[in-house]
Amino acid sequence: MKITSAGGVISLLDEKESDLKVFALQRLNQIVDDFWAEISDVVDKIEVLYEDDGFPERKLAALVASKVYYHLGAFEDSLTYALGAGELFDVNSTSEYVETTIAKCIDFYTKRSIHNYENPDDQQSIDPRLEDVVQRMFERCFTDCQYKQAIGIALETRRIDVFEKAILQSDNRAEMMQYSLKVCLSLIQHRQFRNTVLRVLVHLYTSLQVPDYINVCQCLIFLDDSQAVADILGKLVKEGHEQTLMAYQIGFDLYDSASQHFLSKVLAALRSVAPIPLATEAPHTEKQSEAMEVDSTKPESDTTPAETPKPKELTDDEKEHQAKLEKLAAILSGETSIGLKLQFLIRSNHTDLLILKNTKDAVRNSVCHNATVISNAFMHSGTTSDAFLRDNLEWLARATNWAKFTATASLGVIHKGHEKEALNLMSTYLPKDSSPGSAYQEGGGLYALGLIHANHGSSITEYLLNQLKDASTDMVRHGGCLGLGLAAMGTARLDIYEQLKFNLYQDDAITGEAAGLAMGLVMLGSKSAKAIEDMVGYAQETQHEKILRGLCLGIALTMYGRLEEADTLIESLARDKDPILRRSGMYTIALAYCGTGNNKAIRRLLHVAVSDVDDDVRRAAVTALGFLLLRYVLFIYFFHITGVTLSV
């Protein structure tokens, strides 16, 4: 018979006999989902039974109280009593009450675990009963073979032991590790913990029956462990043909995803293990030959020239090993990739020059003239096709001052990657001792060299550095700084940084703007404390707005991809009284958390976007949202702010 009221059962709670109270609780546990409103009036009596140490069914009382509070919407109280219910709280149940309570339990446990992981000096105690529920949830995942769910919860709760156990117990370990790597790189937003997870994955990948060195090297890139990558490549090229091909494939992957600084360290490590040291930069050899020619004019009696060491005789195996390493070095240095890409762009160039011609004929002012030159550069980027410019030299000659700088620099975009002939191609526009030309043209020429060698400038860096040292005009120094920053991007070379800083400290607006930006490019993602201190300190002193704008981006570039490690700098910049430095804080958020969708960073940007008194800072905050959300399909509309962000 279906009951219509819980009043009769509730009255049994007032009886003196414990057996009657236990029976009442058992019945209430069965009907609580239907009569929770009536039972809520006597929930205090149920709580008294739970708190009575002499009552035999305290856990049952806790379970009933938990369900009542759940229906009342008091989820924290519900969780507290659910923990008191112990094993009576069945984590294997699929009811809405159990699912919701487990979710709250995991959320609370995750919050405490993250706090303890990130603050080792301020540990918060975690209720053992809470740990027991989470552990039973993990066991449920393992029993049901829900390993992906276990991995997700383990990563959220910082349980590396469970994370590793879930991978090892899965039926398809390789697939599970691939899933874990994807989750780690796309969802984990704490750099230190991400590195810990990557170390575990490296260990698991290498312990496979057939180690997955491709994914191992991808992990090592994020761990910045160039020596380990070099060791793997050195090992693979010593083995059979298939392993050598894998080394080449890893080399291509490294060139696509690793920084110039990382690749240079890998190459240096490979050179040290080659039977004959691999070729180094040519300029060093030329300097040595020049010095030897000067010394030869001295009397023969002064010194006895040392005998040139004979090349080492190699065995057939050593010759084969040397050839493999040289080919791998060519891949890592980018020569192979750039050459193939250049050939493809030249072969596949189908630009419609008629569009440019019609645009040129319609141009009536200098702004449109400059825009047409830039359009030509983008349309022919990397194709080495400068026919439009050569066919319209008289029209191009109308460019003056900075327009001439831009027109010359556009050649760098057109010839991007054409490194072997770069100096010959640009020789007409580069600074010369004999007959100095237009300073704007020479500055644009140096900038063009940087564009040609962007992120791959080991062969041109010294030339640009020397030209910057010898430059005598602001325009040439401006182009030299930009070109040097692009060529030495991410190398963190101190000699280049010091030269750029020297130019910055000249307190010239034109040179300083380029120097500030170039310093950030050279220190890209390095988190260099010295660079940050120098740039922020000078930004707070200088009165030139142009220099401030350059440093604004330079500071942000230094923190590229550093996630929470940039928070202290962001906080400092966001509170600065100078609006340009506050704008730098927004750009720093954009680059430090680029593509992560970090909720904390998004909240900060949204707050600034509607609260800052400066229009440019608000615009920068909205723009930065696009960088954070570039991996997500999201449309954001702000009707009261000038900027509108659309990121896909």
Side-chain angles (χ1 to χ4, degrees):
M1 180 179 177
K2 187 176 181 179
I3 62 174
T4 58
S5 173
V9 180
I10 292 173
S11 64
L12 295 176
L13 295 175
D14 296 325
E15 297 293 333
K16 294 182 180 180
E17 294 293 332
S18 295
D19 291 343
L20 291 174
K21 294 177 181 179
V22 170
F23 174 77
L25 289 174
Q26 290 173 343
R27 288 292 295 149
L28 290 175
N29 186 43
Q30 295 171 356
I31 63 176
V32 66
D33 292 336
D34 297 321
F35 298 101
W36 58 269
E38 283 186 68
I39 301 172
S40 65
D41 293 334
V42 294
V43 71
D44 54 335
K45 295 181 181 180
I46 300 174
E47 291 177 5
V48 170
L49 294 177
Y50 167 67
E51 293 167 1
D52 183 2
D53 294 334
F55 186 67
E57 290 292 342
R58 293 179 62 241
K59 293 182 179 180
L60 180 58
L63 181 62
V64 175
S66 174
K67 291 182 177 180
V68 172
Y69 279 119
Y70 164 75
H71 287 292
L72 289 171
F75 296 118
E76 289 189 9
D77 291 333
S78 175
L79 175 60
T80 301
Y81 284 104
L83 295 176
E87 67 277 359
L88 292 182
F89 179 71
D90 184 12
V91 297
N92 295 317
S93 173
T94 57
S95 67
E96 185 179 343
Y97 158 71
V98 171
E99 296 290 349
T100 304
T101 305
I102 287 177
K104 295 292 180 183
C105 180
I106 292 174
D107 288 344
F108 190 77
Y109 181 78
T110 299
K111 185 178 178 181
R112 287 292 179 89
S113 298
I114 291 175
H115 175 84
N116 291 343
Y117 185 88
E118 297 179 359
N119 303 277
D121 299 329
D122 182 25
Q123 296 287 305
Q124 294 181 353
S125 60
I126 299 178
D127 193 329
R129 299 174 301 173
L130 189 64
E131 287 187 330
D132 179 64
V133 172
V134 174
Q135 189 61 40
R136 282 191 283 154
M137 188 62 198
F138 282 131
E139 292 172 359
R140 170 185 167 183
C141 291
F142 292 139
T143 303
D144 297 342
C145 296
Q146 297 292 332
Y147 298 111
K148 289 185 178 180
Q149 187 176 4
I151 287 172
I153 298 173
L155 291 175
E156 282 189 3
T157 57
R158 303 300 191 258
R159 290 288 299 274
I160 292 295
D161 56 332
V162 177
F163 169 73
E164 190 170 357
K165 181 180 177 183
I167 294 175
L168 293 175
Q169 288 193 5
S170 64
D171 298 329
N172 191 335
R173 192 182 300 181
E175 180 185 348
M176 204 56 57
M177 282 191 287
Q178 187 66 33
Y179 170 78
S180 301
L181 179 60
K182 180 181 177 182
V183 169
C184 175
L185 297 180
S186 60
L187 298 180
I188 297 180
Q189 297 170 5
H190 188 273
R191 188 181 181 89
Q192 183 181 352
F193 180 65
R194 185 179 70 182
N195 289 350
T196 302
V197 175
L198 288 173
R199 289 286 180 195
V200 173
L201 287 173
V202 167
H203 170 70
L204 293 173
Y205 272 124
T206 52
S207 63
L208 290 173
Q209 187 174 2
V210 180
D212 188 348
Y213 289 119
I214 292 178
N215 281 319
V216 167
C217 289
Q218 287 298 318
C219 294
L220 293 174
I221 290 173
F222 286 93
L223 293 169
D224 196 26
D225 193 346
S226 57
Q227 185 58 51
V229 172
D231 292 342
I232 290 173
L233 293 175
K235 175 185 175 183
L236 290 174
V237 295
K238 287 181 180 178
E239 299 180 5
H241 179 66
E242 290 187 2
Q243 299 297 83
T244 302
L245 292 178
M246 181 181 289
Y248 295 159
Q249 180 59 54
I250 292 172
F252 283 114
D253 294 342
L254 286 172
Y255 180 74
D256 286 338
S257 53
S259 68
Q260 190 175 187
H261 183 51
F262 186 89
L263 291 173
S264 65
K265 290 192 290 185
V266 174
L267 278 169
L270 288 175
R271 286 192 184 103
S272 63
V273 298
I276 298 177
L278 300 178
T280 55
E281 294 182 11
H284 180 68
T285 307
E286 292 173 4
K287 290 179 180 178
Q288 285 185 332
S289 62
E290 290 172 6
M292 290 173 64
E293 289 173 6
V294 173
D295 292 342
S296 65
T297 60
K298 295 181 180 180
E300 295 181 2
S301 57
D302 288 350
T303 56
T304 303
E307 294 183 3
T308 304
K310 295 181 179 179
K312 177 184 175 183
E313 292 291 335
L314 300 179
T315 64
D316 291 341
D317 290 341
E318 288 178 330
K319 287 179 181 178
E320 183 181 358
H321 184 212
Q322 179 73 17
K324 291 178 180 178
L325 284 175
E326 288 176 354
K327 189 174 292 186
L328 182 59
I331 293 172
L332 289 170
S333 66
E335 293 177 15
T336 306
S337 296
I338 291 173
L340 292 172
K341 185 177 180 182
L342 200 61
Q343 290 176 18
F344 171 78
L345 288 173
I346 294 171
R347 187 172 60 250
S348 306
N349 180 22
H350 301 298
T351 307
D352 189 352
L353 292 177
L354 187 61
I355 296 174
L356 286 171
K357 181 180 181 301
N358 292 337
T359 306
K360 175 186 74 70
D361 294 339
V363 165
R364 293 293 181 268
N365 56 59
S366 60
V367 175
C368 291
H369 183 283
N370 203 28
T372 306
V373 171
I374 295 172
S375 299
N376 172 65
F378 287 148
M379 290 171 71
H380 292 94
S381 177
T383 63
T384 71
S385 174
D386 54 4
F388 176 76
L389 298 179
R390 284 188 282 103
D391 293 342
N392 297 278
L393 292 176
E394 184 179 346
W395 173 82
L396 191 63
R398 298 178 192 172
T400 58
N401 299 333
W402 287 108
K404 181 177 288 188
F405 179 95
T406 303
T408 309
S410 70
L411 290 170
V413 179
I414 294 172
H415 293 284
K416 186 182 185 308
H418 199 188
E419 298 174 4
K420 292 182 179 179
E421 298 297 327
L423 284 173
N424 291 334
L425 288 167
M426 301 304 301
S427 59
T428 308
Y429 311 100
L430 295 174
K432 300 181 185 64
D433 295 333
S434 57
S435 55
S438 167
Y440 293 100
Q441 182 175 287
E442 292 177 351
L446 294 176
Y447 184 21
L449 279 181
L451 289 168
I452 292 171
H453 295 83
N455 200 34
H456 186 246
S458 58
S459 60
I460 202 67
T461 301
E462 294 302 325
Y463 174 83
L464 289 170
L465 184 59
N466 291 331
Q467 289 294 334
L468 181 58
K469 290 177 181 177
D470 298 338
S472 57
T473 63
D474 299 341
M475 290 69 76
V476 176
R477 284 194 291 265
H478 183 89
C481 287
L482 292 176
L484 187 57
L486 287 168
M489 188 190 302
T491 59
R493 276 184 54 176
L494 288 179
D495 57 335
I496 294 176
Y497 173 79
E498 291 297 331
Q499 180 60 40
L500 292 169
K501 186 171 74 170
F502 172 78
N503 282 275
L504 175 71
Y505 284 0
Q506 300 306 306
D507 205 38
D508 176 78
I510 294 173
T511 305
E513 182 180 19
L517 177 57
M519 288 164 71
L521 288 171
V522 172
M523 292 293 175
L524 182 69
S526 66
K527 200 195 69 167
S528 169
K530 181 179 184 300
I532 293 295
E533 183 181 353
D534 290 341
M535 288 190 279
V536 173
Y538 194 76
Q540 292 171 339
E541 294 176 6
T542 186
Q543 299 300 312
H544 292 290
E545 186 176 331
K546 280 190 174 183
I547 295 178
L548 268 173
R549 287 204 300 264
L551 289 170
C552 167
L553 284 173
I555 293 167
L557 288 167
T558 306
M559 282 295 179
Y560 173 71
R562 304 305 296 197
L563 300 176
E564 78 284 348
E565 295 175 351
D567 285 349
T568 304
L569 175 63
I570 291 168
E571 188 68 31
S572 172
L573 293 172
R575 293 181 179 276
D576 200 280
K577 62 182 181 180
D578 191 320
I580 297 182
L581 284 179
R582 293 203 302 277
R583 196 196 315 170
S584 179
M586 301 305 103
Y587 291 152
T588 304
I589 295 175
L591 293 179
Y593 290 96
C594 184
T596 63
N598 183 275
N599 289 329
K600 180 182 175 183
I602 290 174
R603 283 196 299 271
R604 178 188 283 273
L605 290 172
L606 290 172
H607 173 70
V608 173
V610 296
S611 64
D612 199 278
V613 296
D614 187 83
D615 290 343
D616 290 333
V617 177
R618 296 203 301 274
R619 186 182 295 111
V622 178
T623 304
L625 283 169
F627 282 85
L628 263 69
L629 300 169
L630 58 85
R631 293 182 181 174
Y632 302 85
V633 178
L634 182 65
F635 295 89
I636 305 175
Y637 297 95
F638 290 90
F639 298 102
H640 301 291
I641 303 175
T642 307
V644 178
T645 298
L646 167 62
S647 58
V648 178

